[in-house]
Amino acid sequence: MTMRPYSLNITRIKCHSTNDYTGSDDLVGVMGPVRFPIGSFTPGNDYNLDIKQIVPAGEFYLNIIETDLSGDDEIGMIDLSAIMDFQTVKNVQGADASYDITILVQSVSD
């Protein structure tokens, strides 16, 4: 029996630094064809959230993207298959931004 990521719940995000030097980072999550808003953040923000998403079949990664008029910047990627069935904090860093993301990934058998 093979297990795969089925759903995710982002429960908290702490912003250490941002990609945008003027204004806030507007974060979105991307899993294959699914793109969903996470929120706007400035350094020091620490928010409790309740963002729930079904993981598309065949997808194993959550990409965290900062989006604005000048285009998308990839902040980081989380391997969902490595953190299934327990809540954990993952740090993602890229393009001068750094975030701690508290996430729970639930699995299902194929």
Side-chain angles (χ1 to χ4, degrees), residues 14-19 75 91-94 96-100:
K14 183 173 184 176
C15 175
H16 299 286
S17 60
T18 59
N19 169 259
I75 304 301
N91 179 265
V92 293
Q93 297 181 28
D96 296 325
S98 176
Y99 290 88
D100 287 338

Side-chain angles (χ1 to χ4, degrees), residues 67-94:
T67 185
D68 54 34
L69 296 176
S70 64
D72 292 349
D73 294 309
E74 185 172 317
I75 304 301
M77 182 183 302
I78 298 172
D79 181 350
L80 301 176
S81 65
I83 58 169
M84 292 189 299
D85 299 319
F86 64 93
Q87 183 168 293
T88 188
V89 178
K90 299 301 278 184
N91 179 265
V92 293
Q93 297 181 28

Side-chain angles (χ1 to χ4, degrees), residues 28-83:
V28 298
V30 179
M31 295 181 293
V34 174
R35 187 177 174 107
F36 59 93
I38 296 175
S40 294
F41 301 89
T42 57
N45 288 158
D46 190 350
Y47 294 136
N48 291 319
L49 304 169
D50 188 26
I51 299 172
K52 296 178 181 172
Q53 290 289 318
I54 299 297
V55 179
E59 294 297 327
F60 293 91
Y61 295 94
L62 169 63
N63 288 304
I64 305 298
I65 306 292
E66 194 278 324
T67 185
D68 54 34
L69 296 176
S70 64
D72 292 349
D73 294 309
E74 185 172 317
I75 304 301
M77 182 183 302
I78 298 172
D79 181 350
L80 301 176
S81 65
I83 58 169

